[in-house]
Amino acid sequence: MTNILFIMCDQLRHDYLSCGGHPHLKTPNIDALAARGVRFDRAYVQSPVCGPSRMSYYTGRYVASHGAIWNFVPLRVGERTMGDYLRPLGLRTALVGKTHMAADEATMALYGIAKDSVEGVHLAECGFEPYDRDDGIYPPGFTEKGKKTGYYRYLRDKGYDTDNPWHDFANAAERQGGGTASGWYLANAPLAVRLPAEETETPYMTRRAMDFMAEAGDRPWCLHLSYIKPHWPLMAPAPYNAMYGPEHVVPAVRDGAEKQAPHPVYAEFQSHPESLNFSQDKVRETAIPTYMGLVKQIDDSLGELFAFMEEKGLMQDTMIVFCSDHGDYLGDHWLGEKELFHECAVRVPMIVVDPSPEADGARGSVSHALVEAVDLLPTFIEFAGGTPPDHVLEGRSLLPLLRGPAGRVPAGWRDMAVSEFDYSFRRFARETLGRDVDECGTTMLRTERWKYVYCDGFRPMLFDLAADPDELNDLGGDPDHGPVCASFQARLFLWMRQRRRHVTISRADIAAWTDKAMGYGIRIGFWSEDETVRGRPDETSTP
Amino acid sequence: MTNILFIMCDQLRHDYLSCGGHPHLKTPNIDALAARGVRFDRAYVQSPVCGPSRMSYYTGRYVASHGAIWNFVPLRVGERTMGDYLRPLGLRTALVGKTHMAADEATMALYGIAKDSVEGVHLAECGFEPYDRDDGIYPPGFTEKGKKTGYYRYLRDKGYDTDNPWHDFANAAERQGGGTASGWYLANAPLAVRLPAEETETPYMTRRAMDFMAEAGDRPWCLHLSYIKPHWPLMAPAPYNAMYGPEHVVPAVRDGAEKQAPHPVYAEFQSHPESLNFSQDKVRETAIPTYMGLVKQIDDSLGELFAFMEEKGLMQDTMIVFCSDHGDYLGDHWLGEKELFHECAVRVPMIVVDPSPEADGARGSVSHALVEAVDLLPTFIEFAGGTPPDHVLEGRSLLPLLRGPAGRVPAGWRDMAVSEFDYSFRRFARETLGRDVDECGTTMLRTERWKYVYCDGFRPMLFDLAADPDELNDLGGDPDHGPVCASFQARLFLWMRQRRRHVTISRADIAAWTDKAMGYGIRIGFWSEDETVRGRPDETSTP
């Protein structure tokens, strides 16, 4: 049996776990996972925003390759996803929670792929069997979408019978004096949502994961357990809403210098409401304790899940991954939300437990290797006994790091992590910066020493992570750092040349071609039959 | 009625037509086409080899985008093709002849797309209704494939009943004294194939085109009439085999200097049998007259087709394109075949007749605008009344050039043509040059003045087309031309950033997103309801 439990949180910072260094937030169950496996403390997502990050996780390919450049961009038919690789290896591949997948319905219709066929469902659900698909965010305009979820039916069956119980009960509180205090507004963050904790989203999803595991029987599985928290709305049930306070809020990493002549794209994000708000201590002290409470609730819930798995004897056969789709600024660098490339946004928690005996030597260790989200899919494929197709997948299996001596980085491991972000969806792109839709790309290259961010049409951003680990001093406009920037632009060029484009033919088949062609009897440019006797066609045939 | 007749030859040089400047080869019917339309004398294919060039023609996208990097590489499911765009505009889109399409069968199977469904057939046939699909080359290993063609059945029904009548009768001759002289061997080029001319491939395909047009009735159509000639085997029927002789062979464009320290990739191609052979005058004088005869036969056959179309009244409604998938070295630059980027290989004939009255002003003119194969698909879409989707298609409609004043190049027209070639399939890549499969890319950038060829892992090639229009002097290794090369590499970088990747969402939909999001009620990072009253979410909300 080889199972894979692929746990993802949404918007969870790498440093909001006790094993990730948080001084106050205790996450013993996630810490225990790290103690059983390897914690990668240099893990990066391929885009610091939900949709494209997840599409990279699920395809094992960079955004430049899969093309789903931002949220709500359908993943094109033809991009293979996790289930497409794992099902043939015998793993039932299912989903509980969020993927942010948007189906390429136009192409499915063009090809006559029925939405209710097995293939159609898999295509629409990013390769997963949708055991309980739930993207977890239901503003008024998504109310009808929310009604299709299992969580909606669960709440309705419990008597929470409004049009949008996700909002009204799980993400809103009673206002003092009556009425609803919505979780959409940060001022309301300290209030307890109307539901008891066990009825909120996180425990619900955990129970659904348990249902799946109980039901799966002897057949190997890969379960993507994808929590929406601690993504906004920031509101938690009792006691989590009150578990932390201003005294537990880690000071913001920011400096006035960052507001002096900031990079134009950075400047725009600084002006957004979430940035202006999270730059205020009052807002941080109000909202972050709730963020912490939501993380704590996840840790508690995972404790129950792991206990359940122990009881069922699943731990010895199951690879477990714990990660996030991106981080959260929470006021660092005068920003809120995500989408730029500071560590707090683009670096994520990444814990991998490999149950195999070969992994015993590295258990409980921390790896500083540069790891990317696209590494998970080849890891899963190898773990399940397959061979990752390296003409399609752009990451690398982590098994050599999991099964080697603790902390060892294999020869030839990457020295640079890459992430991409496109701000074309933002109105400021056109109205303030005057950029065309296809001129809003940014690409981060992160080595041990440097973080370089190429920005279409602008100077780059550059941080010296040795001298300035807090990334407060953007050297991208400094002429003295011109050569460093130029060398990174050159590396970006080479990286772009190396994208995996010939997805329909393997490297091995390419290498084997000439012999095959000769076997077919293709004879190009020969004067007479005598020449074919003399030698192979693409060798020098002069005597 | 708006019909499109999209004629393609295979391996036809731009200068092997009388309107293209050939001093001896008379092609009055193709010339007449040029007199009715516009001849583009700076037209470039997106790869100087059959498969990827055609995939670019049919998808309207560069090789870097569609990924079918060489012959026999399946075009990935999800890449839309000509028929996908034209059918919704009411045009029946069909094929007579060659596409070199390889179906992405693995993905079709994954998605449950039945091979015999309408969608499955279109997918397997690159978007065309396969009225008579025939890739025209049947070495011994493709004999079974050949038996599935209409031409095979035609020859068999005429009594040419061998396993491979395409070879034995259409591409082989009687040897003096008995036996078969195969068209595979250049020494045999002057011999007449066993078939009378009207039974050879070119007239057969033309008659099939006429069948299609007669049958199509009132419904608008796009017909891709795709001749295999003058691609090898180089053997023609009487009288075409004897119509030309050594006195008609234009001297080779080559210089001994090209053999002094040639670029490593160029050097490898110089050593191939076809290159060594075509570098010999004897071989050129034997084979090229046959090549000319095959072109002449095409011209005669098109004369019949155009006469048929006149008679049927089709000329006034039908856009006609005449082009080629690439050229042929024929000994120029000490090379045979194609695959590198000298003009004789990468530049192609391109004649477009727009029947609309608006095109009257430019009829009979020659345009020097830089045109690319990817321009045809948006031209067809616009001609048929549609709007080319510019988030997918990478070329530009030629209608402004066809319908503007003669010779005018619209403002903002490209100043640089791009073509790509990958030699990874060649054994020399690994055995001589020691290149990994994914390090064999080359990209040509061609402006008015320069031809620059970037080569993964090597110095570039560079030709000063003003000083050296014959491309005999590669300046790519000359330090004095370092700055020119650097500026082109920078342009290549920008070109790579601009590939059309977000194929599932239009530029307009991206630009409209923020308003849509607000309409859904998505509120990110607001302190209280009061803020949503104050302004739009991604405007500065400080007072």
Side-chain angles (χ1 to χ4, degrees):
Chain A
M1 277 279 279
T2 48
N3 306 316
I4 299 168
L5 175 61
F6 171 31
I7 305 168
M8 183 182 287
C9 296
D10 199 318
Q11 199 135 340
L12 174 61
R13 285 173 62 129
H14 69 93
D15 55 353
Y16 272 63
L17 302 168
S18 32
C19 58
H22 202 285
H24 306 295
L25 173 53
K26 298 304 173 200
T27 53
N29 298 298
I30 295 165
D31 295 356
L33 202 66
R36 288 209 302 279
V38 175
R39 185 170 70 83
F40 295 94
D41 78 346
R42 292 268 165 83
Y44 295 89
V45 290
Q46 268 45 87
S47 190
V49 64
C50 310
S53 174
R54 290 163 177 274
M55 294 308 111
S56 280
Y57 267 109
Y58 307 144
T59 60
R61 287 161 59 77
Y62 293 104
V63 178
S65 298
H66 64 63
I69 60 167
W70 204 71
N71 297 331
F72 311 109
V73 176
L75 181 70
R76 60 183 292 180
V77 166
E79 280 295 313
R80 277 169 173 59
T81 49
M82 204 161 273
D84 296 333
Y85 295 104
L86 297 180
R87 261 184 294 274
L89 297 172
L91 276 69
R92 177 181 175 190
T93 304
L95 165 70
V96 167
K98 170 175 175 173
T99 54
H100 221 305
M101 170 66 178
D104 180 6
E105 296 190 344
T107 308
M108 290 173 67
L110 179 68
Y111 295 154
I113 302 171
K115 285 189 186 182
D116 58 359
S117 65
V118 171
E119 296 87 359
V121 170
H122 284 152
L123 256 177
E125 297 293 347
C126 210
F128 295 106
E129 171 197 330
Y131 190 79
D132 202 322
R133 160 83 186 268
D134 192 327
D135 278 6
I137 310 272
Y138 301 101
F142 290 5
T143 294
E144 290 314 300
K145 185 178 158 207
K147 288 180 178 171
K148 296 177 182 154
T149 63
Y151 188 58
Y152 168 81
R153 289 190 296 276
Y154 165 81
L155 290 181
R156 187 197 57 199
D157 291 350
K158 285 196 167 289
Y160 303 109
D161 198 5
T162 64
D163 240 19
N164 191 340
W166 167 89
H167 172 264
D168 302 335
F169 295 97
N171 287 278
E174 279 299 312
R175 193 183 286 288
Q176 267 190 331
T180 298
S182 172
W184 286 105
Y185 302 108
L186 298 170
N188 299 328
L191 302 174
V193 300
R194 287 179 164 128
L195 293 176
E198 63 269 18
E199 291 175 358
T200 56
E201 296 154 86
T202 292
Y204 169 83
M205 292 303 165
T206 301
R207 286 192 297 275
R208 295 297 285 140
M210 294 177 186
D211 291 344
F212 172 82
M213 292 178 190
E215 197 181 295
D218 289 334
R219 199 173 138 207
W221 45 261
C222 170
L223 176 66
H224 181 36
L225 171 53
S226 186
Y227 296 105
I228 184 58
K229 300 304 183 191
H231 189 290
W232 41 262
L234 289 181
M235 200 178 257
Y240 299 100
N241 69 309
M243 201 171 276
Y244 301 98
E247 67 278 22
H248 301 121
V249 174
V250 172
V253 172
R254 65 190 184 203
D255 189 283
E258 294 176 291
K259 292 187 173 182
Q260 308 303 320
H263 188 284
V265 177
Y266 177 28
E268 289 302 317
F269 279 101
Q270 283 180 356
S271 73
H272 283 180
E274 67 274 9
S275 297
L276 298 170
N277 281 328
F278 270 95
S279 293
Q280 301 177 50
D281 290 340
K282 170 181 85 167
V283 173
R284 296 187 81 248
E285 289 166 7
T286 303
I288 291 178
T290 298
Y291 179 92
M292 293 170 68
L294 291 168
V295 177
K296 181 64 174 168
Q297 185 183 24
I298 289 169
D299 187 78
D300 282 348
S301 199
L302 287 175
E304 296 188 27
L305 178 63
F306 298 152
F308 171 88
M309 291 174 70
E310 284 282 6
E311 193 205 336
K312 297 286 181 194
L314 289 168
M315 282 309 204
Q316 59 247 36
D317 300 308
T318 305
M319 168 171 279
I320 303 178
V321 169
F322 178 87
C323 63
S324 177
D325 61 346
H326 53 77
D328 193 327
Y329 274 97
L330 295 181
D332 288 353
H333 308 287
W334 309 105
L335 297 176
E337 273 292 272
K338 49 261 188 190
E339 295 196 89
L340 291 181
F341 291 111
H342 299 86
E343 291 287 282
C344 53
V346 74
R347 181 167 148 201
V348 292
M350 181 69 68
I351 297 167
V352 184
V353 179
D354 176 355
S356 323
E358 301 96 303
D360 289 348
R363 288 192 203 293
S365 67
V366 177
S367 170
H368 308 302
L370 286 171
V371 158
E372 294 181 330
V374 289
D375 293 336
L376 286 188
L377 188 38
T379 305
F380 294 167
I381 292 170
E382 255 209 309
F383 177 72
T387 305
D390 62 356
H391 61 293
V392 183
L393 301 184
E394 298 184 294
R396 302 181 57 154
S397 169
L398 299 174
L399 293 191
L401 286 83
L402 295 165
R403 297 178 177 180
R408 185 192 65 178
V409 180
W413 195 262
R414 67 168 68 85
D415 75 328
M416 183 176 96
V418 182
S419 192
E420 301 175 84
F421 170 60
D422 187 302
Y423 59 87
S424 56
F425 282 69
R426 297 292 189 173
R427 190 183 278 136
F428 74 69
R430 282 162 289 295
E431 296 185 1
T432 312
L433 300 182
R435 314 287 311 153
D436 179 85
V437 155
D438 285 301
E439 297 173 340
C440 301
T442 66
T443 307
M444 174 200 86
L445 307 182
R446 200 273 199 220
T447 61
E448 178 71 38
R449 171 77 187 268
W450 301 97
K451 180 175 292 179
Y452 164 90
V453 179
Y454 178 86
C455 301
D456 288 336
F458 291 110
R459 70 161 177 87
M461 293 187 235
L462 181 73
F463 299 98
D464 180 339
L465 301 172
D468 173 33
D470 287 340
E471 304 171 291
L472 301 174
N473 184 18
D474 177 4
L475 302 167
D478 171 34
D480 288 346
H481 285 82
V484 171
C485 288
S487 75
F488 274 110
Q489 186 169 317
R491 287 203 70 175
L492 176 57
F493 176 79
L494 294 174
W495 178 85
M496 288 160 63
R497 298 278 308 165
Q498 283 296 304
R499 290 309 89 240
R500 293 294 182 252
R501 296 188 183 89
H502 55 80
V503 295
T504 59
I505 186 165
S506 72
R507 292 153 46 85
D509 283 350
I510 289 175
W513 178 256
T514 308
D515 289 329
K516 206 170 160 197
M518 281 302 283
Y520 284 140
I522 296 175
R523 301 283 181 271
I524 306 177
F526 286 84
W527 177 251
S528 70
E529 276 127 329
D530 293 345
E531 278 186 46
T532 48
V533 176
R534 265 219 308 268
R536 296 180 304 178
D538 57 356
E539 271 185 332
T540 305
S541 53
T542 46
Chain B
M1 277 278 278
T2 49
N3 306 316
I4 299 167
L5 175 60
F6 171 32
I7 305 168
M8 185 182 285
C9 295
D10 199 318
Q11 200 135 340
L12 174 61
R13 286 173 62 128
H14 70 92
D15 54 354
Y16 272 64
L17 302 168
S18 32
C19 58
H22 201 285
H24 307 295
L25 171 53
K26 300 302 172 200
T27 53
N29 299 299
I30 295 165
D31 295 357
L33 202 66
R36 289 208 302 279
V38 176
R39 186 171 69 83
F40 295 94
D41 78 349
R42 292 268 165 83
Y44 295 88
V45 289
Q46 268 45 87
S47 189
V49 63
C50 311
S53 174
R54 290 163 177 275
M55 294 308 110
S56 280
Y57 267 110
Y58 307 144
T59 60
R61 287 161 59 76
Y62 293 103
V63 179
S65 299
H66 64 63
I69 61 168
W70 204 70
N71 297 331
F72 311 109
V73 176
L75 181 70
R76 61 182 292 180
V77 165
E79 281 294 313
R80 276 169 173 61
T81 48
M82 204 162 274
D84 296 331
Y85 295 104
L86 297 180
R87 261 184 294 275
L89 297 172
L91 275 69
R92 178 181 174 189
T93 304
L95 165 70
V96 166
K98 170 175 173 172
T99 54
H100 221 305
M101 169 68 178
D104 180 6
E105 297 191 343
T107 308
M108 290 173 66
L110 179 68
Y111 295 154
I113 302 171
K115 285 190 186 182
D116 58 358
S117 64
V118 171
E119 296 89 356
V121 169
H122 284 152
L123 257 177
E125 297 293 348
C126 211
F128 296 106
E129 170 197 331
Y131 191 78
D132 201 322
R133 159 82 186 270
D134 192 327
D135 278 6
I137 310 272
Y138 301 100
F142 289 5
T143 295
E144 289 314 301
K145 184 178 156 204
K147 288 180 179 171
K148 296 180 184 152
T149 62
Y151 189 59
Y152 167 83
R153 288 191 297 276
Y154 165 82
L155 290 180
R156 189 197 55 200
D157 292 348
K158 285 196 167 290
Y160 303 109
D161 198 5
T162 63
D163 239 20
N164 192 341
W166 168 89
H167 172 264
D168 302 335
F169 295 98
N171 287 278
E174 279 301 311
R175 193 185 285 289
Q176 264 189 333
T180 296
S182 172
W184 287 104
Y185 303 108
L186 298 170
N188 298 329
L191 301 174
V193 300
R194 285 178 166 131
L195 295 176
E198 62 269 20
E199 292 176 357
T200 56
E201 296 154 87
T202 292
Y204 169 83
M205 292 302 167
T206 301
R207 286 192 298 276
R208 295 297 284 138
M210 294 177 189
D211 291 344
F212 172 82
M213 291 178 190
E215 197 182 295
D218 289 335
R219 200 173 138 208
W221 46 262
C222 170
L223 176 66
H224 181 36
L225 171 52
S226 186
Y227 296 104
I228 185 57
K229 299 305 183 191
H231 189 289
W232 40 263
L234 288 180
M235 199 178 259
Y240 298 99
N241 68 309
M243 202 171 276
Y244 302 98
E247 67 276 22
H248 301 120
V249 173
V250 172
V253 172
R254 66 192 184 203
D255 189 283
E258 294 178 289
K259 292 185 171 181
Q260 310 302 320
H263 189 283
V265 176
Y266 178 27
E268 288 303 315
F269 279 100
Q270 283 181 357
S271 73
H272 284 180
E274 67 274 10
S275 297
L276 297 169
N277 281 328
F278 270 95
S279 293
Q280 300 176 50
D281 290 340
K282 171 182 85 167
V283 173
R284 296 187 82 247
E285 289 166 9
T286 303
I288 292 178
T290 298
Y291 179 92
M292 294 170 68
L294 291 168
V295 178
K296 181 63 174 170
Q297 186 182 23
I298 290 169
D299 187 78
D300 282 347
S301 199
L302 285 177
E304 296 187 25
L305 178 63
F306 298 151
F308 170 89
M309 290 175 70
E310 285 280 7
E311 193 206 336
K312 297 286 182 197
L314 289 168
M315 282 308 203
Q316 59 246 36
D317 299 308
T318 306
M319 169 173 277
I320 303 177
V321 170
F322 177 85
C323 64
S324 178
D325 61 345
H326 54 75
D328 192 327
Y329 275 95
L330 294 181
D332 287 354
H333 307 288
W334 309 104
L335 297 176
E337 274 291 272
K338 50 260 188 190
E339 297 196 89
L340 290 181
F341 291 111
H342 298 85
E343 292 285 283
C344 53
V346 74
R347 181 166 149 200
V348 292
M350 181 69 68
I351 297 167
V352 184
V353 179
D354 177 353
S356 323
E358 301 96 301
D360 289 347
R363 288 190 202 295
S365 67
V366 176
S367 171
H368 308 301
L370 286 169
V371 158
E372 294 180 331
V374 289
D375 293 338
L376 287 189
L377 188 39
T379 305
F380 294 166
I381 292 170
E382 255 208 306
F383 177 71
T387 305
D390 63 356
H391 61 294
V392 182
L393 301 183
E394 297 183 295
R396 303 181 57 155
S397 169
L398 299 174
L399 293 191
L401 285 83
L402 295 165
R403 298 179 177 179
R408 186 193 65 181
V409 180
W413 195 261
R414 67 170 67 85
D415 74 329
M416 183 176 95
V418 181
S419 193
E420 302 174 84
F421 170 59
D422 188 301
Y423 58 88
S424 56
F425 282 70
R426 298 292 190 172
R427 190 180 280 135
F428 75 70
R430 282 163 288 295
E431 295 184 1
T432 313
L433 299 183
R435 313 289 309 157
D436 178 85
V437 154
D438 285 300
E439 297 173 339
C440 301
T442 67
T443 306
M444 174 200 85
L445 307 182
R446 199 273 199 221
T447 61
E448 179 71 37
R449 171 78 187 267
W450 301 97
K451 180 176 290 178
Y452 164 90
V453 180
Y454 178 85
C455 301
D456 288 334
F458 292 109
R459 68 161 177 87
M461 293 186 234
L462 181 74
F463 298 99
D464 180 338
L465 301 171
D468 173 32
D470 288 337
E471 305 172 289
L472 301 173
N473 183 19
D474 177 5
L475 302 165
D478 171 32
D480 288 346
H481 284 82
V484 172
C485 288
S487 77
F488 275 111
Q489 186 168 318
R491 287 203 70 173
L492 176 57
F493 177 79
L494 293 175
W495 179 85
M496 287 159 65
R497 298 281 306 167
Q498 283 295 305
R499 290 312 90 239
R500 291 293 181 252
R501 296 186 185 89
H502 56 81
V503 295
T504 60
I505 185 163
S506 73
R507 291 151 49 84
D509 282 350
I510 289 175
W513 177 257
T514 308
D515 288 329
K516 205 169 160 201
M518 281 302 282
Y520 284 139
I522 296 174
R523 301 284 183 270
I524 306 176
F526 285 85
W527 178 250
S528 71
E529 278 128 328
D530 293 344
E531 278 186 45
T532 48
V533 176
R534 262 217 312 267
R536 297 181 304 178
D538 57 358
E539 272 185 331
T540 306
S541 52
T542 46

